[in-house]
Amino acid sequence: MRFPKLFERLAALAPLPPEEWEKAEAVAREQALDKRELFLRPGDPADRFAVVLQGVFRAVRVSARGQESIKAFRAEGELIGAYAEMLQHLPSMTTIEALAPSRVLVFQTRDFQALESGHVCWERLARRVAEHHFILKERREQEFLDLSAEERLVKFWDEHPHLKGRVPQRDVAAYLGITEVALSRIMSRRRKRPE
Amino acid sequence: MRFPKLFERLAALAPLPPEEWEKAEAVAREQALDKRELFLRPGDPADRFAVVLQGVFRAVRVSARGQESIKAFRAEGELIGAYAEMLQHLPSMTTIEALAPSRVLVFQTRDFQALESGHVCWERLARRVAEHHFILKERREQEFLDLSAEERLVKFWDEHPHLKGRVPQRDVAAYLGITEVALSRIMSRRRKRPE
DNA sequence: CCGCCGCCTTAACCTGGGTCAACCCGAGGG
DNA sequence: CCCTCGGGTTGACCCAGGTTAAGGCGGCGG
């Protein structure tokens, strides 16, 4: 077993026999990425995903108008991939970019489907992952519905303290749905007013 | 089989043997709701969900500040329930209210777990449902990130034509994340300007 | 028939955030 | 040492949407 820590993490989500994990490791491939390097770009087939072993990533979507917004940041132990597109068998509309030198463990969805038909544990794990992602998105939806940009910012740092210093400000702005200018203003406002 | 149409719908998502469906129908209970009646209110245990047989519902969340925002509308063939809370074994924070006289088919999650341990098809179906919900939420996230309120409105009616005339305007506003006043203004703006 | 109620609209005013543009500052590279 | 460059800040100006408050209007009960 090359990645016992990762195994623990997954097994906590759903029962996962060690021998099944061994099979998964057998089809996985380690990949190193430089800062700025892309794990996935728009138009690529969404036929693989990965677990972050080290580093940080941002999942970006550029709109028709050319402005880029950030769907998520992903750090150690989290999944990267164009999940929605994968489920719909569409080419990726997402760019996934390393914000720092990183290492990931890559799986082909094809290989994963093979694992799934071998043992039900994978089905259950896939379900858990889907459910977890749903919960995260719903939480975010809630934030857009009833929080101001400033409140979203505060909440963001509350919930992602481990990203401090690892993601540029402009990307935080693009995650919050505002411009970097607005974010800068909010921060200076906070610096002065509510001590 | 009391609800063959519903069976078709579900079976389209994931393979579902008719005899399993029969078992599900056996534990389901039909419920009628008047306009304004609540299927679920905040604080209720999130231990049941339902399929809409007839009518429309709105899933509301009231924020700490007391303003209510709408997570989703649900019409015939769709699921109602506090899904996120159910997954997290939390009491409901959502109100689910009939916008018209409605009929639903209610399941207890407890009964459903029994079905799941009886046959893997339910596991697969649950996964599909989770994935589907995820896709919807991600799409909505995208809309908040790079569409204006006006564009969100247009998209809303594009994607939900069957809700026309069935949901009050103020609720559409609360779904879009704006006030009813703003929505009214947007509509009159559109009436004049871009013919 | 009147009056009320629920729902929508309109207007006046305020504010947060967008846009554009100038500027600052620290890290390299020549 | 200076230049450049990437990333953050600031200011001026504008506009979408929030807030408050005043109608409009159709439906329904009395």
Side-chain angles (χ1 to χ4, degrees):
Chain A
M1 194 178 302
R2 282 184 292 161
F3 303 100
K5 252 180 87 181
L6 191 48
F7 168 71
E8 301 260 327
R9 247 189 109 99
L10 295 174
L13 284 179
L16 178 63
E19 64 274 17
E20 284 297 318
W21 176 242
E22 295 281 4
K23 287 191 209 163
E25 281 190 340
V27 299
R29 184 175 65 77
E30 229 180 302
Q31 181 184 354
L33 294 101
D34 294 330
K35 181 171 177 170
R36 299 264 162 124
E37 202 175 336
L38 305 183
F39 174 72
L40 206 70
R41 70 193 73 213
D44 284 359
D47 59 356
R48 67 217 179 88
F49 59 93
V51 182
V52 180
L53 299 171
Q54 201 184 97
V56 212
F57 289 81
R58 57 175 197 158
V60 184
R61 165 141 181 199
V62 292
S63 75
R65 282 206 241 17
Q67 60 168 330
E68 56 180 41
S69 55
I70 294 202
K71 301 208 285 197
F73 297 104
R74 291 285 147 82
E76 288 81 7
E78 298 181 302
L79 286 166
I80 57 175
Y83 189 45
E85 294 91 324
M86 193 167 93
L87 296 175
Q88 296 170 92
H89 307 290
L90 294 173
S92 171
M93 294 180 297
T94 311
T95 306
I96 296 178
E97 180 186 345
L99 291 175
S102 304
R103 285 183 314 111
V104 300
L105 189 62
V106 186
F107 298 88
Q108 303 294 129
T109 55
R110 176 170 21 95
D111 296 336
F112 223 80
Q113 279 155 10
L115 286 175
E116 273 173 29
S117 44
H119 196 296
V120 286
C121 70
W122 297 109
E123 187 81 39
R124 175 148 218 132
L125 185 60
R127 174 184 172 185
R128 282 286 145 79
V129 168
E131 290 172 349
H132 179 68
H133 281 196
F134 167 78
I135 290 170
L136 292 183
K137 289 297 173 194
E138 176 156 305
R139 208 170 284 169
R140 197 146 137 76
E141 167 190 80
Q142 211 50 46
E143 291 171 16
F144 279 113
L145 282 170
D146 49 43
L147 263 45
S148 68
E150 176 159 358
E151 292 168 313
R152 295 207 296 280
L153 173 65
V154 172
K155 201 158 185 221
F156 176 79
W157 286 124
D158 270 11
E159 290 177 356
H160 309 278
H162 59 291
L163 293 178
K164 242 162 205 158
R166 305 180 76 187
V167 302
Q169 213 137 285
R170 66 145 57 87
D171 287 338
V172 177
Y175 179 85
L176 298 176
I178 60 178
T179 60
E180 56 175 335
V181 180
L183 177 55
S184 178
R185 270 192 302 235
I186 290 172
M187 287 176 52
S188 78
R189 208 187 303 157
R190 289 177 64 74
R191 240 174 280 133
K192 296 170 205 159
R193 263 203 262 162
E195 301 290 343
Chain B
M1 193 177 305
R2 281 184 293 161
F3 302 101
K5 252 180 87 179
L6 191 48
F7 168 70
E8 301 260 327
R9 248 190 108 98
L10 295 175
L13 284 180
L16 179 63
E19 63 273 19
E20 285 297 316
W21 177 240
E22 295 281 2
K23 286 189 210 163
E25 281 191 340
V27 299
R29 185 175 64 77
E30 227 179 304
Q31 182 183 354
L33 295 100
D34 294 331
K35 180 170 176 169
R36 298 265 161 122
E37 201 175 338
L38 304 183
F39 174 73
L40 206 70
R41 70 193 73 211
D44 284 358
D47 59 357
R48 66 216 181 86
F49 59 94
V51 181
V52 181
L53 298 171
Q54 200 184 98
V56 212
F57 290 80
R58 58 174 197 160
V60 185
R61 165 142 181 198
V62 293
S63 74
R65 283 207 240 15
Q67 59 169 330
E68 57 181 40
S69 55
I70 294 204
K71 301 208 285 196
F73 298 105
R74 290 286 148 82
E76 287 81 6
E78 298 182 303
L79 287 165
I80 56 176
Y83 189 45
E85 294 91 324
M86 193 168 91
L87 296 176
Q88 296 168 95
H89 307 290
L90 295 172
S92 171
M93 295 179 299
T94 309
T95 306
I96 295 178
E97 180 185 345
L99 291 174
S102 305
R103 285 184 313 112
V104 299
L105 189 62
V106 186
F107 298 87
Q108 302 295 129
T109 55
R110 175 171 22 91
D111 296 335
F112 223 80
Q113 279 154 9
L115 287 175
E116 273 172 30
S117 44
H119 195 297
V120 285
C121 70
W122 297 110
E123 188 80 40
R124 174 146 219 135
L125 185 60
R127 175 184 170 184
R128 281 287 145 80
V129 168
E131 291 172 348
H132 179 68
H133 282 194
F134 168 77
I135 289 171
L136 291 182
K137 288 298 173 195
E138 176 157 303
R139 207 170 285 170
R140 200 145 136 75
E141 169 190 79
Q142 210 49 48
E143 291 170 15
F144 280 113
L145 281 171
D146 49 44
L147 263 46
S148 70
E150 177 159 357
E151 293 168 313
R152 295 206 297 280
L153 174 64
V154 173
K155 201 161 185 218
F156 176 79
W157 287 123
D158 271 10
E159 290 176 358
H160 310 279
H162 60 290
L163 292 178
K164 240 161 207 161
R166 306 179 75 187
V167 301
Q169 213 137 285
R170 65 145 58 86
D171 286 338
V172 177
Y175 178 85
L176 298 175
I178 59 179
T179 61
E180 54 174 339
V181 181
L183 177 54
S184 178
R185 266 193 305 235
I186 289 172
M187 287 177 50
S188 77
R189 209 187 302 158
R190 290 178 62 75
R191 241 174 281 132
K192 296 170 205 157
R193 265 201 260 162
E195 302 291 346

